[in-house]
Amino acid sequence: MERRPTIMDVAAAAGVSVATVSKAVNGRYGVAPETVDRVLSVVAELGYESSLIASSMRSRRTGVIGVLVADFEPFSAEILKGVGQALSASRYDLLAYSGSHGTAEGWERRSLSRLSGTLIDGAIMVTPTVVNVSTDVPLVAIDPHAGPADLPTVECDSFGGAHQATRHLIELGHSRIGFIAGRTDLRSSIARDAGYRRALVNAGLPVDPALVGSGSYRQDAVRVAALEMLSRLDRPTAIFAANDISALEIMKVAAELGLDVPQDLSIIGFDDVPEASAATPALSTVRQPMQTLGAEAARMLLSLMQGETPAATHLKLPTRLVTRGTTAPPA
């Protein structure tokens, strides 16, 4: 009887270690994509069967759900916690995946092409750069693209949260309120811009283009916009940032310019990531339920994977204003 191939046979044929084969066939982190492709080719050629990949080839199921993120920053980390909690009672494992070019438009398509049908049974895309993706596995988008997507989506009330944040600053007595915007291709970023503007208009205050900067959720761009805004003779007395990481960067810029927060400048963010409450002073912000976003997306995806119709395919969760130490009446 012909001997069944072993994992050592696969390693020898692929020219890699046994540990690398194990990581590759089980979809674990730390193996280059080209190495994964080579290992899986050898697996198929030799007929190696004692692995997740081999069993998934037979059943067309891997028992793994992928979460695709552009980067492992605080927002996506909280999303992953929520997804993990929702999957804890299921039979599915979680694969967190960040493409090597996560900031480039369309990176999700390449990643899904690499993962679908081989490593994952379904996927959740966080802040995708694409409107729709053609794939063989069910998909759900968290904080979706601004385009008219057909994908099921989970997001928060960004317009309402931005309106709350700006109104809070107005009620404190601020009339020159800046705004550092996020990514222009995300529906949430557009809604936060609109909420900021609506609050100003409702209060009878002008929207000054000089007080609106583009941060794109990138710290370097936020820094440039904040420096420009805060170096003006008629600088704002308060700034609303489209996310907490941007707000924390503005705090750094203010300190470098010798501005006291909140005496000289009030700052409020959006998200309520763990770093917000740990800052000095603690950051006022709009709390969106990030872990709940992840959990709801996971539940929606599980329903789709089971051939069911979810109760809702476009879910919007409420936000809540959290006031801390970075907002105060103008001096």
Side-chain angles (χ1 to χ4, degrees), residues 128-131 143-149 183-191:
T129 65
V130 292
V131 178
D143 198 356
H145 192 277
R183 274 174 45 188
T184 56
D185 63 323
L186 289 179
R187 194 155 68 197
S188 60
S189 297
I190 295 170

Side-chain angles (χ1 to χ4, degrees), residues 52 56 61-65 91-94 119-121 305:
L52 170 65
S56 68
R61 306 287 285 183
T62 67
V64 177
I65 285 176
R91 60 184 181 84
Y92 287 95
D93 293 326
L94 168 63
L119 292 176
I120 59 174
D121 294 332
M305 291 167 61

Side-chain angles (χ1 to χ4, degrees), residues 282-307:
L283 180 67
S284 294
T285 188
V286 174
R287 177 179 297 159
Q288 63 168 320
M290 295 170 288
Q291 293 189 26
T292 305
L293 286 171
E296 291 293 348
R299 294 186 190 106
M300 189 181 292
L301 182 62
L302 288 172
S303 292
L304 292 168
M305 291 167 61
Q306 291 162 9

Side-chain angles (χ1 to χ4, degrees), residues 3-327:
R3 182 177 66 86
R4 289 180 61 184
T6 68
I7 192 170
M8 290 178 285
D9 295 328
V10 174
V16 298
S17 68
V18 169
T20 297
V21 173
S22 177
K23 288 180 180 179
V25 299
N26 288 287
R28 296 193 185 118
Y29 177 76
V31 183
E34 57 270 20
T35 304
V36 173
D37 292 342
R38 186 165 76 252
V39 169
L40 296 185
S41 240
V42 173
V43 165
E45 182 182 342
L46 296 183
Y48 175 60
E49 295 188 352
S50 57
S51 68
L52 170 65
I53 295 300
S55 61
S56 68
M57 286 176 179
R58 295 191 301 271
S59 68
R60 307 298 298 171
R61 306 287 285 183
T62 67
V64 177
I65 285 176
V67 180
L68 278 61
V69 298
D71 191 17
F72 292 108
E73 38 71 44
F75 175 76
S76 61
E78 293 300 302
I79 294 289
L80 286 167
K81 289 177 187 176
V83 175
Q85 290 166 6
L87 295 182
S88 62
S90 77
R91 60 184 181 84
Y92 287 95
D93 293 326
L94 168 63
L95 171 67
Y97 187 88
S98 177
S100 57
H101 303 288
T103 56
E105 184 177 346
W107 70 273
E108 299 92 342
R109 289 193 180 97
R110 295 188 295 275
S111 299
L112 284 167
S113 175
R114 181 175 295 158
L115 300 174
S116 297
T118 304
L119 292 176
I120 59 174
D121 294 332
I124 296 169
M125 298 189 300
V126 182
T127 63
T129 65
V130 292
V131 178
N132 282 313
V133 180
S134 296
T135 182
D136 295 331
V137 300
L139 292 176
V140 174
I142 293 178
D143 198 356
H145 192 277
D150 298 327
L151 290 173
T153 59
V154 182
E155 59 191 311
C156 79
D157 181 10
S158 285
F159 177 89
H163 191 277
Q164 279 182 306
T166 311
R167 188 175 61 194
H168 167 62
L169 296 172
I170 293 169
E171 289 173 349
L172 287 172
H174 296 278
S175 57
R176 287 190 60 72
I177 301 171
F179 175 57
I180 303 294
R183 274 174 45 188
T184 56
D185 63 323
L186 289 179
R187 194 155 68 197
S188 60
S189 297
I190 295 170
R192 289 172 201 180
D193 184 285
Y196 158 78
R197 294 170 187 270
R198 176 68 63 83
L200 292 179
V201 170
N202 287 352
L205 297 174
V207 179
D208 185 348
L211 298 187
V212 178
S214 176
S216 302
Y217 296 146
R218 294 192 345 260
Q219 286 179 280
D220 57 342
V222 170
R223 171 167 286 272
V224 169
L227 278 169
E228 182 178 346
M229 198 178 291
L230 294 176
S231 298
R232 299 175 57 89
L233 293 177
D234 58 346
R235 63 174 175 79
T237 61
I239 295 179
F240 165 45
N243 74 349
D244 286 345
I245 299 305
S246 298
L248 294 171
E249 187 65 27
I250 297 167
M251 289 175 65
K252 292 180 186 177
V253 172
E256 291 167 10
L257 295 175
L259 299 174
D260 181 85
V261 177
Q263 295 305 312
D264 299 321
L265 178 70
S266 284
I267 301 173
I268 189 167
F270 201 111
D271 285 340
D272 199 20
V273 297
E275 290 81 352
S277 59
T280 304
L283 180 67
S284 294
T285 188
V286 174
R287 177 179 297 159
Q288 63 168 320
M290 295 170 288
Q291 293 189 26
T292 305
L293 286 171
E296 291 293 348
R299 294 186 190 106
M300 189 181 292
L301 182 62
L302 288 172
S303 292
L304 292 168
M305 291 167 61
Q306 291 162 9
E308 302 169 355
T309 302
T313 53
H314 299 287
L315 191 60
K316 184 177 289 188
L317 303 179
T319 56
R320 183 166 71 85
L321 180 68
V322 180
T323 58
R324 297 192 180 106
T326 58
T327 50

